[in-house]
Amino acid sequence: MATSTVPDTVKQESKAQQQQKMNRDERRRALQKQEHRGQWANKTEYVLVTAGHVVGLGNLWRFPYLCYKNGGGAFLVPYGLLTMLCGIPLFLLESSYGQYTQEGFITCWRKLCPLAEGFGYASLVIRLYASTYIIVQTWALFYLVFSFRSQLPWASCQNTWNTADCVELQISDSPSTNMTNQTILTNRTTAAIEFWERRVLAMSGGIEDLGTVSWELALCLLVCWMFCYFSIFKGVRSSGKVVYFTATFPYVMLLILLIRGLTLPGAWKGIYFYLYPDLNRIANLRVWGEAGSQIFFSFSVSTGNLIVLSSYNKYNNDCYRDCFWICLLNSGTSFVAGFVVFSVLGFMAEKQGVSVDTVTESGPGLAFIAYPQAAAMMPLSHLWTVCFFLMLIFLAVDTHFVSVESFLTSVSDLFPKLFYKPRRHEMFALIFCIIFFFIHLVLVTKGGIYIFQLIDHYGSTRACLYFMALCQCLALTCGLGADRLINIIEDMTGHRPPVYFKVCWKYIIPVLSLISFIFYLVDYKHLKINDWYIYPDWAYTLGWTMTLSSVLMVPLWAAVQMCLTPGTFRQVRAHEEAPETREIHDIIVKHLAY
């Protein structure tokens, strides 16, 4: 017995030495990676970057319209409830994932639930589709340049691109002209619409006819990609500094436009339309679906970006408190933006002698038709136009370069030996920006708007986000575990999330996401442009291929892993990651926090 104990003791000591050596090697590699990867210089940078990313175009051109369309003030009931049930819990979930693992949205799943690594690759595909939103910056920059002309081109029909149906809307304070202006709006096209469709887009007859590239828009696109590159070429070291201006400037412009809007005649008429509560709409399932989709898009959940942003935090950052403040800022900005938008639309309706609903637009129609047309009616119209498009550009800038940085970071974390070397990140960012500049030239052709709308409708549709949220919560249950995550958050922040979050992650969010996903499929309608252009069948097939390219990535990855890993399902789950490896990870990230 004594002789057999000696070899066992030697084996245990040898195992302990190997474990210590493994700890040292892992720590050394993590420190080397962290040195090249970088971290936020302070909490302010993280808050500004995250706020700049989640507060984007959707807050300005989508939320106010949805609020008006779906019951005014009554819409705030489903919006507020779903914010508490889905928005904030998902925001905290993803932020804590990134801060704990210190990895991008692909490799983080290797530490959380390897079977769900397909979620990271799906996010990668969605990020590629979402990069097309740089075209909105391009259009806004184009408008900004034209805002410095002596006469605003969207206020006049005396231009080469105008047709015989063009009409300059007359400002009228007489009720007798109401019917005339209403007829004009119905049967004719305004100068703003013709500038948008015939000068900016130069729309062709359909997606089959792409036509030539607009060199003016191509130049604006180049400027946008150059700005993106110089914002991210040093990683968080450069983007963390850029946001001190890009994330705060839109709020200055928003405040200026809010003050100006509330002082316009007819402003309160527009605000009445914005907030008048129609309580009957609360019982409409479609209203709840619209509220849910707005939360997913506006909070930027289920895209992976929040995982990447929080991965640059120190381990002991209070992501629990940050979550509440950023979510409050996001929803508050959406609400205030509604006053800015509808005060101007109320003024526009007052001056034209029409009802507010005839001038109400959403999306590009609001940003590039309704608001420029309204600004042209104001005194100092050039000033307000410049302020509006500057705000629009900077709202889009943060969202875009964060998406690109998230993509680059996640790929770099996937191949650390290749990319975490001096000058590699700069080269990777440059190559990415150049390649996608040339790819996006197709968006500045005469048929580019049809391609953009197709990608917008299918590539990053809300069905993808619903499915991702469902899979993310299921991965939490099957992988890391909700109880363990709550313990991790308490260890990182010193705050223990209430059991409410556990209930949301395990039950409420999966059920609501599944219902929303099914409702989207049942209520699906083919995409149309201006309610008249119907895409050819091959375009709809291409669209659904884009949707499935991200959605199917999650179950396919899990199925492949199940097939390649020997053993039963329970054994595969147990194979995810050895407990001692997680302990090593916890030691490393805590060491890096100081």
Short mmCIF file of all heavy atoms in Angstrom, two decimals, residues 39 43 99 102 313-319 322 489 491-494 589-590 592-594:
data_model
loop_
_atom_site.label_atom_id
_atom_site.label_comp_id
_atom_site.label_asym_id
_atom_site.label_seq_id
_atom_site.Cartn_x
_atom_site.Cartn_y
_atom_site.Cartn_z
N GLN A 39 -8.04 47.95 -24.89
CA GLN A 39 -9.22 48.12 -24.05
C GLN A 39 -9.64 49.58 -24.10
O GLN A 39 -8.88 50.44 -24.55
CB GLN A 39 -8.93 47.71 -22.59
CG GLN A 39 -8.94 46.22 -22.34
CD GLN A 39 -8.83 45.89 -20.87
OE1 GLN A 39 -8.21 46.61 -20.09
NE2 GLN A 39 -9.44 44.78 -20.45
N LYS A 43 -14.33 54.40 -18.83
CA LYS A 43 -15.75 54.05 -18.99
C LYS A 43 -16.46 54.99 -19.95
O LYS A 43 -17.37 54.58 -20.69
CB LYS A 43 -16.45 54.06 -17.63
CG LYS A 43 -17.94 53.75 -17.72
CD LYS A 43 -18.64 53.97 -16.41
CE LYS A 43 -18.40 52.84 -15.46
NZ LYS A 43 -19.14 51.61 -15.89
N GLN A 99 -18.11 41.05 -21.71
CA GLN A 99 -17.20 41.47 -20.64
C GLN A 99 -16.59 40.26 -19.95
O GLN A 99 -15.43 40.30 -19.54
CB GLN A 99 -17.96 42.33 -19.63
CG GLN A 99 -17.09 42.94 -18.56
CD GLN A 99 -17.80 44.02 -17.78
OE1 GLN A 99 -18.37 44.95 -18.34
NE2 GLN A 99 -17.79 43.91 -16.46
N GLN A 102 -14.25 38.39 -22.85
CA GLN A 102 -13.22 39.23 -23.47
C GLN A 102 -12.94 38.77 -24.90
O GLN A 102 -11.81 38.78 -25.37
CB GLN A 102 -11.93 39.20 -22.65
CG GLN A 102 -12.09 39.63 -21.20
CD GLN A 102 -12.13 41.13 -21.03
OE1 GLN A 102 -11.18 41.84 -21.30
NE2 GLN A 102 -13.28 41.63 -20.58
N ASN A 313 -14.13 46.05 -22.23
CA ASN A 313 -14.19 46.52 -20.85
C ASN A 313 -13.27 45.73 -19.96
O ASN A 313 -12.90 44.59 -20.28
CB ASN A 313 -15.62 46.39 -20.30
CG ASN A 313 -16.54 47.47 -20.82
OD1 ASN A 313 -16.12 48.60 -21.08
ND2 ASN A 313 -17.82 47.14 -20.97
N LYS A 314 -12.93 46.30 -18.82
CA LYS A 314 -12.23 45.53 -17.80
C LYS A 314 -13.23 44.60 -17.13
O LYS A 314 -14.43 44.85 -17.13
CB LYS A 314 -11.58 46.47 -16.78
CG LYS A 314 -10.45 47.29 -17.37
CD LYS A 314 -9.77 48.14 -16.31
CE LYS A 314 -8.59 48.91 -16.92
NZ LYS A 314 -7.91 49.74 -15.89
N TYR A 315 -12.70 43.55 -16.53
CA TYR A 315 -13.56 42.53 -15.95
C TYR A 315 -14.48 43.09 -14.87
O TYR A 315 -15.63 42.64 -14.73
CB TYR A 315 -12.69 41.41 -15.36
CG TYR A 315 -13.48 40.29 -14.70
CD1 TYR A 315 -14.05 39.29 -15.48
CD2 TYR A 315 -13.66 40.25 -13.32
CE1 TYR A 315 -14.78 38.26 -14.90
CE2 TYR A 315 -14.39 39.23 -12.74
CZ TYR A 315 -14.95 38.25 -13.53
OH TYR A 315 -15.68 37.24 -12.95
N ASN A 316 -14.02 44.07 -14.13
CA ASN A 316 -14.82 44.58 -13.02
C ASN A 316 -15.63 45.82 -13.38
O ASN A 316 -16.08 46.55 -12.49
CB ASN A 316 -13.91 44.89 -11.82
CG ASN A 316 -12.79 45.87 -12.17
OD1 ASN A 316 -12.67 46.28 -13.33
ND2 ASN A 316 -11.99 46.24 -11.19
N ASN A 317 -15.84 46.08 -14.66
CA ASN A 317 -16.70 47.20 -15.06
C ASN A 317 -18.15 46.91 -14.66
O ASN A 317 -18.62 45.77 -14.75
CB ASN A 317 -16.62 47.40 -16.57
CG ASN A 317 -17.58 48.49 -17.06
OD1 ASN A 317 -17.43 49.65 -16.73
ND2 ASN A 317 -18.56 48.08 -17.83
N ASP A 318 -18.86 47.94 -14.25
CA ASP A 318 -20.25 47.78 -13.81
C ASP A 318 -21.19 47.79 -15.01
O ASP A 318 -21.89 48.77 -15.27
CB ASP A 318 -20.62 48.88 -12.82
CG ASP A 318 -21.92 48.58 -12.07
OD1 ASP A 318 -22.61 47.62 -12.46
OD2 ASP A 318 -22.23 49.32 -11.12
N CYS A 319 -21.20 46.69 -15.76
CA CYS A 319 -22.06 46.60 -16.95
C CYS A 319 -23.53 46.54 -16.57
O CYS A 319 -24.40 46.85 -17.40
CB CYS A 319 -21.68 45.39 -17.80
SG CYS A 319 -21.85 43.79 -16.96
N ASP A 322 -24.50 50.22 -16.32
CA ASP A 322 -24.39 50.80 -17.67
C ASP A 322 -25.58 50.42 -18.53
O ASP A 322 -26.07 51.22 -19.33
CB ASP A 322 -23.10 50.33 -18.34
CG ASP A 322 -21.86 50.83 -17.63
OD1 ASP A 322 -21.98 51.79 -16.83
OD2 ASP A 322 -20.78 50.25 -17.86
N ILE A 489 -22.14 37.91 -13.18
CA ILE A 489 -22.45 39.33 -13.18
C ILE A 489 -22.23 39.92 -11.79
O ILE A 489 -21.69 41.02 -11.64
CB ILE A 489 -23.90 39.56 -13.64
CG1 ILE A 489 -24.07 39.16 -15.11
CG2 ILE A 489 -24.31 41.04 -13.46
CD1 ILE A 489 -25.49 39.21 -15.61
N ASP A 491 -20.13 38.80 -9.57
CA ASP A 491 -18.68 38.83 -9.35
C ASP A 491 -18.04 39.99 -10.09
O ASP A 491 -17.09 40.62 -9.58
CB ASP A 491 -18.07 37.50 -9.80
CG ASP A 491 -16.59 37.42 -9.48
OD1 ASP A 491 -16.22 37.60 -8.31
OD2 ASP A 491 -15.80 37.18 -10.42
N MET A 492 -18.53 40.30 -11.29
CA MET A 492 -17.95 41.38 -12.09
C MET A 492 -18.34 42.76 -11.57
O MET A 492 -17.53 43.68 -11.55
CB MET A 492 -18.38 41.24 -13.56
CG MET A 492 -17.79 40.06 -14.30
SD MET A 492 -18.06 40.12 -16.09
CE MET A 492 -19.85 40.11 -16.20
N THR A 493 -19.60 42.91 -11.20
CA THR A 493 -20.14 44.26 -10.92
C THR A 493 -20.41 44.53 -9.45
O THR A 493 -20.55 45.69 -9.07
CB THR A 493 -21.45 44.45 -11.69
OG1 THR A 493 -22.46 43.58 -11.17
CG2 THR A 493 -21.27 44.16 -13.18
N GLY A 494 -20.54 43.48 -8.66
CA GLY A 494 -20.93 43.68 -7.27
C GLY A 494 -22.43 43.78 -7.08
O GLY A 494 -22.91 43.93 -5.95
N VAL A 589 -9.03 36.65 -16.65
CA VAL A 589 -9.77 37.90 -16.87
C VAL A 589 -9.76 38.75 -15.61
O VAL A 589 -9.75 39.98 -15.68
CB VAL A 589 -11.22 37.62 -17.32
CG1 VAL A 589 -11.23 36.98 -18.68
CG2 VAL A 589 -11.96 36.75 -16.31
N LYS A 590 -9.75 38.11 -14.44
CA LYS A 590 -9.66 38.89 -13.20
C LYS A 590 -8.28 39.53 -13.08
O LYS A 590 -8.15 40.66 -12.60
CB LYS A 590 -9.93 37.99 -11.99
CG LYS A 590 -11.39 37.58 -11.87
CD LYS A 590 -11.61 36.71 -10.65
CE LYS A 590 -13.07 36.27 -10.56
NZ LYS A 590 -13.31 35.41 -9.37
N LEU A 592 -6.44 40.49 -15.59
CA LEU A 592 -6.38 41.58 -16.55
C LEU A 592 -7.17 42.80 -16.10
O LEU A 592 -7.03 43.88 -16.66
CB LEU A 592 -6.92 41.10 -17.91
CG LEU A 592 -6.10 40.03 -18.63
CD1 LEU A 592 -6.82 39.55 -19.87
CD2 LEU A 592 -4.73 40.56 -18.99
N ALA A 593 -8.03 42.63 -15.11
CA ALA A 593 -8.86 43.75 -14.65
C ALA A 593 -8.05 44.75 -13.85
O ALA A 593 -8.50 45.87 -13.62
CB ALA A 593 -10.01 43.22 -13.79
N TYR A 594 -6.86 44.38 -13.44
CA TYR A 594 -6.09 45.26 -12.54
C TYR A 594 -4.76 45.64 -13.17
O TYR A 594 -4.24 44.97 -14.00
CB TYR A 594 -5.84 44.56 -11.20
CG TYR A 594 -7.12 44.19 -10.51
CD1 TYR A 594 -7.61 42.88 -10.55
CD2 TYR A 594 -7.87 45.15 -9.86
CE1 TYR A 594 -8.79 42.55 -9.92
CE2 TYR A 594 -9.05 44.84 -9.22
CZ TYR A 594 -9.51 43.54 -9.26
OH TYR A 594 -10.70 43.22 -8.65
#
